[in-house]
Amino acid sequence: MENPHGTDRAVLDSRLFTELTAQLGLGLVNIKPTSGSTNTELAQLAGNGDAGHLSVYFTEHQQAGKGRLGREWVTPAGSSLTVSVLAVPGPSFPAESLSWYTMLAALAWSRAAENIGGVPLGIKWPNDLLAGEQKVCGILAQMVPTGNGYGVVVGTGINVNQNRDELPVPTATSLRLAGAQNLDRTELLAEYLKQFAALDQGFRRVGGFAQMPLPGNNGKSLRQLVSDKLATLGHEVRVEFPDGSTLVGNAVELGADGSLVLEYGTGQRKHVMAGDVHHVRRADGKYA
């Protein structure tokens, strides 16, 4: 039976990733037909010393994926890209800078989607990507112990070619629905890894300092590059904190530490490091 989605649901061409391993200096590359959680399995390999810097773990069918706050996330085969990348920047790299890899990955995917599919994506702080006003990609990072300190596993899941009736919630979308000109998943994943590796190399060269200009990025730092893509800035947002409290304010800045800076009340400011962020909608259903 002919695939109604064409080549965009074809199995990944693993030959390209063999070439990329040498070209980008990737570590272990695992391409699995099915997996429990790519993050969990790559974290285990890292902890055992079996996976090093820029190791990649990809699956066509993730059965036990987790999003933020423990939410389950399951991907049907061939419709999206589910991949985890391990970053082990080295013992001299500041541990607090590892948190920037969530937004580094978001920036890499935004560039990949635009370069391959022609779809501009915005970053919703701290770990989602939006096509227009709808979520197209989720990101989950976790610190992992390695032989000489700590690294971070960054798992991403991006909706590539789903139709509307294949998406779990009305606030989700796919690159197909966003009008992508190219839905070849091999090309998309390869471009993501190229962008991730380039940003990682620059970030390590500046010692993990997000305020220092990254080589080859027109004098812009990682903080500036992310800010340029940060759809959350300028929005009124509601933050739900882990302790159950909430705060509504205007997102005015990406902090030097990666926090979201909210302005509320009579000009008070709060740096938010963790929380579930919701863009507040107006009564007409559009974002404020």
Side-chain angles (χ1 to χ4, degrees):
M1 182 177 175
E2 186 178 345
N3 182 350
H5 296 272
T7 58
D8 49 292
R9 287 202 176 174
V11 175
L12 289 189
D13 182 355
S14 59
R15 294 171 299 177
L16 179 59
F17 298 98
T18 302
E19 297 172 14
L20 283 178
T21 297
Q23 179 186 336
L24 303 179
L26 302 181
L28 176 74
V29 177
N30 259 343
I31 298 178
K32 300 281 189 180
T34 186
S35 164
S37 161
T38 57
N39 263 26
T40 298
E41 292 174 29
L42 184 53
Q44 289 172 345
L45 290 169
N48 295 336
D50 296 324
H53 187 59
L54 292 187
S55 289
V56 178
Y57 202 106
F58 170 84
T59 187
E60 284 287 9
H61 186 198
Q62 181 169 248
Q63 297 173 312
K66 296 290 183 184
R68 289 187 70 244
L69 308 179
R71 300 181 182 115
E72 290 190 6
W73 193 69
V74 179
T75 55
S79 66
S80 52
L81 286 167
T82 309
V83 61
S84 294
V85 179
L86 172 66
V88 188
S92 62
F93 193 89
E96 61 271 19
S97 295
L98 291 173
S99 63
W100 278 95
Y101 273 92
T102 297
M103 284 177 279
L104 183 150
L107 183 59
W109 264 127
S110 73
R111 290 178 169 183
E114 189 149 5
N115 290 349
I116 301 299
V119 176
L121 301 182
I123 300 172
K124 176 176 173 283
W125 189 94
N127 64 335
D128 289 337
L129 282 162
L130 303 177
E133 298 177 350
Q134 295 177 305
K135 178 177 174 178
V136 72
C137 178
I139 303 171
L140 183 68
Q142 64 185 85
M143 285 183 65
V144 293
T146 61
N148 59 351
Y150 285 90
V152 60
V153 172
V154 189
T156 60
I158 187 165
N159 297 329
V160 178
N161 54 48
Q162 292 97 324
N163 293 317
R164 173 56 54 199
D165 59 1
E166 294 178 297
L167 293 165
V169 291
T171 53
T173 192
S174 66
L175 295 180
R176 171 187 290 278
L177 292 171
Q181 301 155 7
N182 182 353
L183 293 166
D184 187 301
R185 294 182 312 123
T186 297
E187 290 184 38
L188 280 165
L189 181 55
E191 183 66 13
Y192 168 64
L193 295 176
K194 289 176 185 176
Q195 295 294 337
F196 189 104
L199 289 166
D200 162 75
Q201 183 182 54
F203 196 35
R204 286 186 291 114
R205 281 183 63 183
V206 299
F209 293 103
Q211 283 62 250
M212 289 187 66
L214 293 188
N217 285 275
N218 298 317
K220 291 192 173 185
S221 66
L222 181 59
R223 179 190 180 191
Q224 289 171 309
L225 293 168
V226 171
S227 292
D228 288 347
K229 291 285 188 179
L230 201 57
T232 307
L233 294 184
H235 270 301
E236 185 180 12
V237 301
R238 184 181 76 257
V239 183
E240 298 174 357
F241 295 103
D243 65 2
S245 63
T246 63
L247 175 67
V248 175
N250 291 312
V252 294
E253 187 182 6
L254 181 65
D257 54 0
S259 62
L260 184 65
V261 182
L262 295 190
E263 190 170 271
Y264 64 99
T266 55
Q268 297 129 297
R269 289 196 170 197
K270 182 176 180 64
H271 289 246
V272 177
M273 285 302 297
D276 220 13
V277 173
H278 302 272
H279 290 186
V280 176
R281 292 176 187 262
R282 299 195 305 241
D284 59 9
K286 296 182 179 180
Y287 284 111

